[in-house]
DNA sequence: CGATCCATGTAATCTGTTACATGATTTT
DNA sequence: AAAATCATGTAACAGATTACATGGATCG
Protein backbone atom coordinates (compact mmCIF):
# COMPACT_ATOMS: atom_id res chain seq x y z
CA UNK A 1 0.00 0.00 0.00
CA UNK A 2 2.35 2.73 -1.20
CA UNK A 3 -0.16 5.32 -2.42
CA UNK A 4 -1.02 6.63 1.01
CA UNK A 5 2.62 6.82 1.94
CA UNK A 6 3.51 8.57 -1.27
CA UNK A 7 0.80 11.10 -0.38
CA UNK A 8 2.09 11.49 3.17
CA UNK A 9 5.58 12.10 1.80
CA UNK A 10 4.34 14.62 -0.72
CA UNK A 11 2.34 16.48 1.93
CA UNK A 12 5.29 16.58 4.30
CA UNK A 13 7.38 18.10 1.55
CA UNK A 14 4.72 20.74 1.00
CA UNK A 15 1.04 20.89 2.07
CA UNK A 16 -1.24 20.71 -0.95
CA UNK A 17 -4.80 20.44 -2.16
CA UNK A 18 -6.13 17.30 -3.82
CA UNK A 19 -5.69 18.76 -7.26
CA UNK A 20 -2.18 20.02 -6.75
CA UNK A 21 -1.28 16.63 -5.27
CA UNK A 22 -2.65 15.04 -8.42
CA UNK A 23 -0.45 17.36 -10.48
CA UNK A 24 2.59 16.29 -8.53
CA UNK A 25 1.68 12.69 -9.30
CA UNK A 26 1.98 13.65 -12.94
CA UNK A 27 5.46 15.02 -12.37
CA UNK A 28 8.11 14.19 -9.84
CA UNK A 29 6.32 11.57 -7.74
CA UNK A 30 4.69 10.17 -10.83
CA UNK A 31 8.05 9.20 -12.25
CA UNK A 32 7.88 6.12 -10.05
CA UNK A 33 4.32 6.12 -8.70
CA UNK A 34 1.21 7.24 -10.55
CA UNK A 35 -2.22 8.14 -9.29
CA UNK A 36 -5.31 9.69 -10.81
CA UNK A 37 -7.24 12.45 -9.10
CA UNK A 38 -9.93 9.96 -8.05
CA UNK A 39 -7.37 7.86 -6.25
CA UNK A 40 -5.94 10.94 -4.60
CA UNK A 41 -9.32 12.18 -3.39
CA UNK A 42 -10.34 8.77 -2.13
CA UNK A 43 -7.09 8.31 -0.28
CA UNK A 44 -6.95 11.81 1.21
CA UNK A 45 -10.50 11.32 2.46
CA UNK A 46 -9.43 8.08 4.18
CA UNK A 47 -6.26 9.62 5.55
CA UNK A 48 -8.24 12.52 6.97
CA UNK A 49 -10.75 10.13 8.55
CA UNK A 50 -7.83 8.31 10.18
CA UNK A 51 -6.39 11.64 11.33
CA UNK A 52 -3.08 11.04 9.55
CA UNK A 53 -3.60 14.29 7.68
CA UNK A 54 -5.82 17.31 8.36
CA UNK A 55 -7.20 20.20 6.36
CA UNK A 56 -5.52 23.52 7.07
CA UNK A 57 -8.06 26.21 7.92
CA UNK A 58 -8.01 28.89 5.25
CA UNK A 59 -8.23 32.62 5.69
CA UNK A 60 -9.32 33.38 2.14
CA UNK A 61 -11.17 30.49 0.47
CA UNK A 62 -10.23 30.41 -3.20
CA UNK A 63 -12.44 29.26 -6.02
CA UNK A 64 -13.75 25.72 -5.94
CA UNK A 65 -13.25 25.78 -2.19
CA UNK A 66 -9.99 23.82 -2.19
CA UNK A 67 -8.86 22.00 0.96
CA UNK A 68 -5.17 22.19 1.74
CA UNK A 69 -3.93 19.18 3.67
CA UNK A 70 -1.00 18.83 6.02
CA UNK A 71 0.37 15.79 7.83
CA UNK A 72 -0.40 15.26 11.52
CA UNK A 73 2.04 13.86 14.06
CA UNK A 74 0.33 10.48 13.74
CA UNK A 75 0.77 10.70 10.00
CA UNK A 76 4.46 11.38 10.31
CA UNK A 77 4.82 8.49 12.77
CA UNK A 78 3.01 6.18 10.36
CA UNK A 79 5.32 7.20 7.53
CA UNK A 80 8.40 6.60 9.66
CA UNK A 81 7.03 3.19 10.59
CA UNK A 82 6.37 2.34 6.95
CA UNK A 83 9.83 3.39 5.78
CA UNK A 84 11.22 0.78 8.15
CA UNK A 85 8.84 -1.88 6.82
CA UNK A 86 10.37 -4.58 4.75
CA UNK A 87 8.72 -5.77 1.58
CA UNK A 88 10.08 -8.48 -0.69
CA UNK A 89 11.28 -7.09 -4.01
CA UNK A 90 8.96 -8.01 -6.82
CA UNK A 91 9.72 -7.46 -10.47
CA UNK A 92 7.39 -5.01 -12.11
CA UNK A 93 4.84 -5.82 -14.77
CA UNK A 94 5.82 -4.94 -18.27
CA UNK A 95 3.16 -5.19 -20.94
CA UNK A 96 5.64 -4.57 -23.75
CA UNK A 97 7.66 -7.64 -22.81
CA UNK A 98 4.45 -9.68 -22.68
CA UNK A 99 3.72 -8.43 -26.19
CA UNK A 100 7.18 -9.32 -27.37
CA UNK A 101 6.85 -12.80 -25.95
CA UNK A 102 3.49 -13.17 -27.65
CA UNK A 103 5.11 -11.89 -30.84
CA UNK A 104 7.72 -14.63 -30.60
CA UNK A 105 4.85 -17.12 -30.90
CA UNK A 106 2.37 -15.52 -33.31
CA UNK A 107 4.72 -13.19 -35.17
CA UNK A 108 5.59 -9.55 -34.57
CA UNK A 109 2.97 -7.83 -36.69
CA UNK A 110 3.32 -4.05 -36.32
CA UNK A 111 5.05 -4.37 -32.94
CA UNK A 112 8.11 -2.47 -34.17
CA UNK A 113 6.05 0.69 -34.49
CA UNK A 114 5.00 0.34 -30.87
CA UNK A 115 8.61 0.00 -29.92
CA UNK A 116 9.59 3.11 -31.79
CA UNK A 117 6.96 5.03 -29.81
CA UNK A 118 8.32 3.63 -26.58
CA UNK A 119 11.83 4.48 -27.65
CA UNK A 120 10.84 8.07 -28.25
CA UNK A 121 9.10 8.26 -24.90
CA UNK A 122 12.03 6.88 -22.92
CA UNK A 123 14.58 8.91 -24.75
CA UNK A 124 12.58 12.09 -24.10
CA UNK A 125 12.22 11.24 -20.44
CA UNK A 126 15.91 10.50 -20.24
CA UNK A 127 16.69 13.98 -21.53
CA UNK A 128 14.22 15.44 -19.02
CA UNK A 129 15.93 13.73 -16.12
CA UNK A 130 19.36 14.80 -17.27
CA UNK A 131 18.14 18.38 -17.39
CA UNK A 132 16.85 18.13 -13.82
CA UNK A 133 20.16 16.64 -12.73
CA UNK A 134 22.11 19.46 -14.33
CA UNK A 135 19.79 22.09 -12.89
CA UNK A 136 19.41 20.80 -9.33
CA UNK A 137 22.43 18.72 -8.50
CA UNK A 138 25.42 19.86 -10.50
CA UNK A 139 28.21 22.00 -9.12
CA UNK A 140 27.15 22.14 -5.52
CA UNK A 141 27.78 20.37 -2.25
CA UNK A 142 24.98 17.94 -1.50
CA UNK A 143 23.68 17.38 2.01
CA UNK A 144 22.15 14.05 3.03
CA UNK A 145 18.69 15.01 1.87
CA UNK A 146 19.87 16.18 -1.53
CA UNK A 147 22.00 13.09 -1.95
CA UNK A 148 18.99 10.84 -1.40
CA UNK A 149 16.98 12.85 -3.88
CA UNK A 150 19.84 12.60 -6.33
CA UNK A 151 19.93 8.84 -5.87
CA UNK A 152 16.27 8.63 -6.83
CA UNK A 153 16.92 10.73 -9.89
CA UNK A 154 19.87 8.54 -10.82
CA UNK A 155 17.58 5.52 -10.72
CA UNK A 156 15.33 7.26 -13.18
CA UNK A 157 18.21 8.25 -15.41
CA UNK A 158 19.68 4.77 -15.40
CA UNK A 159 16.36 3.10 -16.16
CA UNK A 160 15.53 5.40 -19.05
CA UNK A 161 19.04 4.99 -20.37
CA UNK A 162 18.65 1.25 -20.25
CA UNK A 163 15.26 1.18 -21.94
CA UNK A 164 16.37 3.56 -24.64
CA UNK A 165 19.36 1.37 -25.47
CA UNK A 166 17.42 -1.88 -25.26
CA UNK A 167 14.60 -0.62 -27.45
CA UNK A 168 17.12 0.56 -30.01
CA UNK A 169 18.56 -2.95 -30.13
CA UNK A 170 15.15 -4.55 -30.24
CA UNK A 171 13.99 -2.30 -33.07
CA UNK A 172 17.09 -3.12 -35.07
CA UNK A 173 16.64 -6.85 -34.49
CA UNK A 174 12.96 -6.84 -35.38
CA UNK A 175 13.47 -4.71 -38.46
CA UNK A 176 16.14 -7.06 -39.75
CA UNK A 177 14.32 -10.30 -38.99
CA UNK A 178 10.92 -9.27 -40.28
CA UNK A 179 11.82 -9.34 -43.95
CA UNK A 180 13.72 -12.59 -44.13
CA UNK A 181 11.56 -15.08 -42.31
CA UNK A 182 8.29 -15.36 -40.45
CA UNK A 183 8.22 -16.32 -36.79
CA UNK A 184 6.77 -19.79 -36.56
CA UNK A 185 5.01 -21.33 -33.60
CA UNK A 186 8.02 -22.78 -31.87
CA UNK A 187 7.66 -23.49 -28.19
CA UNK A 188 9.64 -22.55 -25.15
CA UNK A 189 8.31 -24.39 -22.18
CA UNK A 190 8.81 -21.81 -19.48
CA UNK B 1 -5.47 -6.24 -19.82
CA UNK B 2 -2.30 -8.27 -20.29
CA UNK B 3 -3.01 -11.23 -18.04
CA UNK B 4 -5.30 -12.98 -20.47
CA UNK B 5 -2.84 -12.45 -23.29
CA UNK B 6 0.04 -13.69 -21.20
CA UNK B 7 -2.05 -16.81 -20.58
CA UNK B 8 -2.88 -17.21 -24.25
CA UNK B 9 0.81 -16.92 -25.10
CA UNK B 10 1.78 -19.44 -22.45
CA UNK B 11 -0.85 -21.89 -23.64
CA UNK B 12 0.21 -21.53 -27.25
CA UNK B 13 3.76 -22.35 -26.22
CA UNK B 14 2.54 -25.44 -24.40
CA UNK B 15 -0.96 -26.49 -23.25
CA UNK B 16 -1.17 -26.55 -19.47
CA UNK B 17 -3.43 -26.96 -16.47
CA UNK B 18 -4.29 -24.06 -14.18
CA UNK B 19 -1.70 -25.09 -11.66
CA UNK B 20 1.14 -25.58 -14.11
CA UNK B 21 0.26 -22.23 -15.66
CA UNK B 22 0.53 -20.71 -12.20
CA UNK B 23 3.96 -22.29 -11.84
CA UNK B 24 5.08 -20.76 -15.09
CA UNK B 25 3.95 -17.41 -13.74
CA UNK B 26 6.43 -17.99 -10.95
CA UNK B 27 9.20 -18.61 -13.43
CA UNK B 28 9.74 -17.46 -16.97
CA UNK B 29 6.56 -15.48 -17.57
CA UNK B 30 6.67 -14.22 -14.00
CA UNK B 31 9.91 -12.42 -14.68
CA UNK B 32 7.86 -9.63 -16.20
CA UNK B 33 4.26 -10.50 -15.35
CA UNK B 34 3.05 -12.11 -12.14
CA UNK B 35 -0.21 -13.84 -11.36
CA UNK B 36 -1.49 -15.87 -8.45
CA UNK B 37 -3.37 -19.11 -8.92
CA UNK B 38 -6.66 -17.34 -8.16
CA UNK B 39 -6.07 -14.92 -10.98
CA UNK B 40 -5.15 -17.75 -13.30
CA UNK B 41 -8.24 -19.81 -12.49
CA UNK B 42 -10.56 -16.85 -12.80
CA UNK B 43 -9.06 -15.83 -16.11
CA UNK B 44 -8.97 -19.33 -17.61
CA UNK B 45 -12.65 -19.73 -16.64
CA UNK B 46 -13.47 -16.51 -18.49
CA UNK B 47 -11.32 -17.43 -21.47
CA UNK B 48 -13.03 -20.80 -21.72
CA UNK B 49 -16.45 -19.17 -21.49
CA UNK B 50 -15.44 -16.89 -24.36
CA UNK B 51 -14.15 -19.90 -26.32
CA UNK B 52 -10.66 -18.44 -26.63
CA UNK B 53 -9.29 -21.56 -24.97
CA UNK B 54 -10.75 -25.04 -24.47
CA UNK B 55 -10.11 -27.99 -22.20
CA UNK B 56 -8.37 -30.90 -23.91
CA UNK B 57 -10.28 -34.16 -23.36
CA UNK B 58 -8.16 -36.51 -21.28
CA UNK B 59 -7.72 -40.24 -21.71
CA UNK B 60 -6.47 -40.90 -18.19
CA UNK B 61 -7.67 -38.35 -15.64
CA UNK B 62 -4.90 -37.76 -13.11
CA UNK B 63 -5.37 -36.90 -9.49
CA UNK B 64 -7.26 -33.77 -8.63
CA UNK B 65 -8.93 -33.99 -12.05
CA UNK B 66 -6.78 -31.35 -13.73
CA UNK B 67 -8.02 -29.62 -16.86
CA UNK B 68 -5.45 -29.07 -19.58
CA UNK B 69 -6.21 -26.05 -21.73
CA UNK B 70 -5.25 -25.26 -25.28
CA UNK B 71 -5.85 -22.16 -27.39
CA UNK B 72 -8.63 -22.12 -29.97
CA UNK B 73 -8.40 -20.42 -33.35
CA UNK B 74 -10.37 -17.51 -31.96
CA UNK B 75 -7.89 -17.31 -29.12
CA UNK B 76 -4.96 -17.17 -31.48
CA UNK B 77 -6.69 -14.49 -33.54
CA UNK B 78 -7.34 -12.44 -30.42
CA UNK B 79 -3.68 -12.70 -29.41
CA UNK B 80 -2.53 -11.58 -32.85
CA UNK B 81 -4.95 -8.66 -32.66
CA UNK B 82 -3.62 -7.69 -29.23
CA UNK B 83 0.03 -7.83 -30.24
CA UNK B 84 -0.78 -5.16 -32.81
CA UNK B 85 -2.55 -3.00 -30.21
CA UNK B 86 -0.78 0.13 -29.16
CA UNK B 87 -0.62 1.17 -25.55
CA UNK B 88 1.11 4.29 -24.24
CA UNK B 89 4.25 3.48 -22.27
CA UNK B 90 3.77 4.11 -18.60
CA UNK B 91 6.58 4.12 -16.07
CA UNK B 92 6.38 1.31 -13.58
CA UNK B 93 5.61 1.66 -9.92
CA UNK B 94 8.49 1.19 -7.58
CA UNK B 95 7.76 1.00 -3.88
CA UNK B 96 11.44 1.12 -2.96
CA UNK B 97 11.85 4.49 -4.62
CA UNK B 98 8.77 5.76 -2.80
CA UNK B 99 10.41 4.58 0.42
CA UNK B 100 13.63 6.31 -0.45
CA UNK B 101 11.81 9.54 -1.16
CA UNK B 102 9.98 9.22 2.14
CA UNK B 103 13.34 8.56 3.77
CA UNK B 104 14.69 11.79 2.35
CA UNK B 105 12.00 13.56 4.37
CA UNK B 106 11.72 11.59 7.63
CA UNK B 107 15.17 9.99 7.70
CA UNK B 108 16.33 6.61 6.42
CA UNK B 109 15.81 4.49 9.54
CA UNK B 110 16.70 0.87 8.73
CA UNK B 111 16.14 1.36 5.01
CA UNK B 112 19.70 0.30 4.19
CA UNK B 113 18.94 -3.23 5.38
CA UNK B 114 16.02 -3.36 2.98
CA UNK B 115 18.29 -2.27 0.21
CA UNK B 116 20.81 -4.95 1.00
CA UNK B 117 18.04 -7.54 0.69
CA UNK B 118 17.02 -6.10 -2.63
CA UNK B 119 20.60 -6.06 -3.78
CA UNK B 120 20.96 -9.72 -2.97
CA UNK B 121 17.73 -10.51 -4.78
CA UNK B 122 18.65 -8.67 -7.95
CA UNK B 123 22.16 -9.95 -8.01
CA UNK B 124 20.90 -13.53 -7.66
CA UNK B 125 18.39 -13.04 -10.41
CA UNK B 126 21.04 -11.50 -12.59
CA UNK B 127 23.16 -14.61 -12.21
CA UNK B 128 20.12 -16.76 -12.98
CA UNK B 129 19.47 -14.92 -16.22
CA UNK B 130 23.09 -15.11 -17.28
CA UNK B 131 22.99 -18.87 -16.73
CA UNK B 132 19.91 -19.16 -18.94
CA UNK B 133 21.60 -17.04 -21.59
CA UNK B 134 24.68 -19.24 -21.56
CA UNK B 135 22.61 -22.42 -21.61
CA UNK B 136 20.03 -21.51 -24.24
CA UNK B 137 21.48 -18.86 -26.49
CA UNK B 138 25.26 -19.16 -26.57
CA UNK B 139 27.20 -20.71 -29.44
CA UNK B 140 24.36 -21.31 -31.83
CA UNK B 141 22.66 -19.71 -34.75
CA UNK B 142 19.45 -18.02 -33.63
CA UNK B 143 16.33 -18.03 -35.75
CA UNK B 144 13.80 -15.19 -35.51
CA UNK B 145 11.89 -16.83 -32.68
CA UNK B 146 15.00 -17.45 -30.62
CA UNK B 147 16.22 -13.94 -31.25
CA UNK B 148 13.02 -12.47 -29.87
CA UNK B 149 13.25 -14.69 -26.83
CA UNK B 150 16.84 -13.64 -26.40
CA UNK B 151 15.81 -9.99 -26.57
CA UNK B 152 13.39 -10.54 -23.71
CA UNK B 153 16.11 -12.21 -21.70
CA UNK B 154 18.48 -9.37 -22.43
CA UNK B 155 15.91 -6.95 -21.03
CA UNK B 156 15.90 -8.99 -17.84
CA UNK B 157 19.68 -9.13 -17.70
CA UNK B 158 20.05 -5.42 -18.29
CA UNK B 159 17.48 -4.49 -15.69
CA UNK B 160 18.95 -6.71 -13.01
CA UNK B 161 22.38 -5.42 -13.85
CA UNK B 162 21.17 -1.89 -13.47
CA UNK B 163 19.40 -2.46 -10.16
CA UNK B 164 22.34 -4.35 -8.72
CA UNK B 165 24.69 -1.49 -9.55
CA UNK B 166 22.30 1.23 -8.41
CA UNK B 167 21.55 -0.49 -5.12
CA UNK B 168 25.26 -0.89 -4.52
CA UNK B 169 25.69 2.86 -4.96
CA UNK B 170 22.67 3.66 -2.83
CA UNK B 171 23.83 1.40 -0.01
CA UNK B 172 27.25 3.02 -0.03
CA UNK B 173 25.72 6.49 0.01
CA UNK B 174 23.26 5.73 2.79
CA UNK B 175 25.87 3.99 4.91
CA UNK B 176 28.21 6.96 4.65
CA UNK B 177 25.63 9.63 5.27
CA UNK B 178 23.84 7.94 8.15
CA UNK B 179 26.63 8.39 10.67
CA UNK B 180 27.48 12.00 10.04
CA UNK B 181 24.16 13.81 9.96
CA UNK B 182 20.46 13.19 10.21
CA UNK B 183 18.18 13.88 7.29
CA UNK B 184 16.11 16.91 8.17
CA UNK B 185 12.72 17.82 6.80
CA UNK B 186 13.84 19.83 3.83
CA UNK B 187 11.33 20.16 1.06
CA UNK B 188 11.41 19.54 -2.64
CA UNK B 189 8.27 20.80 -4.20
CA UNK B 190 7.82 18.34 -7.01
C1' DC C 1 -4.26 -43.81 8.53
C1' DG C 2 -2.35 -39.26 9.21
C1' DA C 3 0.40 -35.87 6.73
C1' DT C 4 1.42 -33.83 2.67
C1' DC C 5 0.85 -32.45 -1.83
C1' DC C 6 -2.11 -31.82 -6.12
C1' DA C 7 -5.72 -29.21 -8.15
C1' DT C 8 -9.43 -26.23 -8.21
C1' DG C 9 -12.14 -23.16 -6.44
C1' DT C 10 -15.17 -19.23 -3.30
C1' DA C 11 -15.30 -14.92 -0.83
C1' DA C 12 -13.88 -10.66 0.74
C1' DT C 13 -11.21 -6.89 0.20
C1' DC C 14 -8.17 -3.56 -1.74
C1' DT C 15 -6.30 -0.96 -5.56
C1' DG C 16 -6.73 1.14 -9.91
C1' DT C 17 -9.41 2.89 -14.00
C1' DT C 18 -13.07 5.14 -16.56
C1' DA C 19 -17.04 7.84 -17.03
C1' DC C 20 -19.78 11.18 -15.40
C1' DA C 21 -21.65 15.10 -12.13
C1' DT C 22 -21.50 19.51 -9.80
C1' DG C 23 -20.67 24.16 -8.70
C1' DA C 24 -17.79 28.02 -8.55
C1' DT C 25 -14.56 31.26 -10.87
C1' DT C 26 -12.21 33.33 -14.47
C1' DT C 27 -11.81 34.54 -19.33
C1' DT C 28 -13.61 36.12 -23.70
C1' DA D 1 -23.67 35.52 -21.09
C1' DA D 2 -21.18 31.59 -22.92
C1' DA D 3 -16.95 28.94 -22.63
C1' DA D 4 -13.14 27.30 -20.32
C1' DT D 5 -10.87 26.09 -16.18
C1' DC D 6 -10.55 25.01 -11.13
C1' DA D 7 -11.72 21.83 -7.64
C1' DT D 8 -14.00 18.15 -5.68
C1' DG D 9 -16.48 14.46 -5.85
C1' DT D 10 -19.88 9.75 -7.00
C1' DA D 11 -20.55 5.43 -9.25
C1' DA D 12 -19.44 1.50 -11.53
C1' DC D 13 -16.24 -1.57 -12.79
C1' DA D 14 -11.83 -4.09 -13.67
C1' DG D 15 -7.78 -6.07 -11.77
C1' DA D 16 -5.03 -7.83 -7.95
C1' DT D 17 -4.38 -9.70 -3.24
C1' DT D 18 -5.29 -12.48 0.77
C1' DA D 19 -7.61 -15.87 3.35
C1' DC D 20 -9.98 -19.81 3.43
C1' DA D 21 -12.41 -24.30 1.64
C1' DT D 22 -12.64 -28.78 -0.55
C1' DG D 23 -11.62 -33.28 -2.16
C1' DG D 24 -8.64 -36.62 -4.11
C1' DA D 25 -3.85 -38.97 -4.38
C1' DT D 26 0.33 -40.34 -2.71
C1' DC D 27 3.75 -41.16 0.80
C1' DG D 28 5.55 -42.73 5.06
Amino acid sequence: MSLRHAILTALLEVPSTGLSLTRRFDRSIGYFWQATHQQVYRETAKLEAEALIRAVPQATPARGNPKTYEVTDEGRAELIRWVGDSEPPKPGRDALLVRLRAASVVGPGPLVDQMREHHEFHSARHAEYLAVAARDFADRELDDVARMQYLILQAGIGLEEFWTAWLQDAITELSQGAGSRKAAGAATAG
Side-chain angles (χ1 to χ4, degrees), chain A:
Chain A
M1 219 205 318
S2 297
L3 175 57
R4 56 171 32 204
H5 300 102
I7 290 177
L8 286 173
T9 304
L11 289 181
L12 273 175
E13 287 170 355
V14 48
S16 312
T17 65
L19 193 61
S20 60
L21 262 179
T22 303
R23 295 238 171 80
R24 292 169 69 193
F25 272 101
D26 283 338
R27 310 204 289 135
S28 62
I29 313 170
Y31 290 151
F32 47 88
W33 203 274
Q34 305 91 50
T36 61
H37 82 272
Q38 289 83 351
Q39 277 178 280
V40 169
Y41 285 122
R42 194 170 26 163
E43 202 61 39
T44 48
K46 272 198 219 170
L47 286 168
E48 193 181 14
E50 295 172 41
L52 301 181
I53 64 176
R54 76 173 143 242
V56 183
Q58 303 224 52
T60 48
R63 72 172 173 180
N65 194 38
K67 276 194 269 186
T68 300
Y69 290 110
E70 65 182 6
V71 179
T72 64
D73 289 347
E74 294 96 311
R76 175 181 278 267
E78 163 58 20
L79 188 61
I80 290 171
R81 188 203 60 71
W82 178 78
V83 169
D85 257 18
S86 90
E87 193 177 24
K90 61 172 178 186
R93 295 190 155 112
D94 194 310
L96 189 65
L97 292 179
V98 176
R99 271 203 175 74
L100 184 53
R101 180 147 177 168
S104 82
V105 179
V106 299
L111 187 59
V112 202
D113 300 332
Q114 264 272 23
M115 286 185 156
R116 274 191 252 271
E117 278 175 49
H118 281 244
H119 182 267
E120 220 171 301
F121 173 88
H122 287 293
S123 138
R125 190 149 272 198
H126 184 225
E128 234 180 280
Y129 288 173
L130 286 180
V132 175
R135 173 163 56 77
D136 293 352
F137 298 99
D139 304 323
R140 67 175 181 100
E141 279 297 306
L142 303 181
D143 59 15
D144 281 4
V145 175
R147 287 197 301 172
M148 282 194 241
Q149 291 169 345
Y150 193 32
L151 270 177
I152 296 170
L153 185 58
Q154 281 173 314
I157 292 172
L159 282 174
E160 298 305 344
E161 207 164 280
F162 164 74
W163 281 116
T164 306
W166 180 84
L167 281 162
Q168 188 55 66
D169 281 5
I171 290 164
T172 307
E173 278 275 337
L174 287 193
S175 310
Q176 282 178 0
S180 53
R181 270 163 301 182
K182 260 191 185 170
T188 314

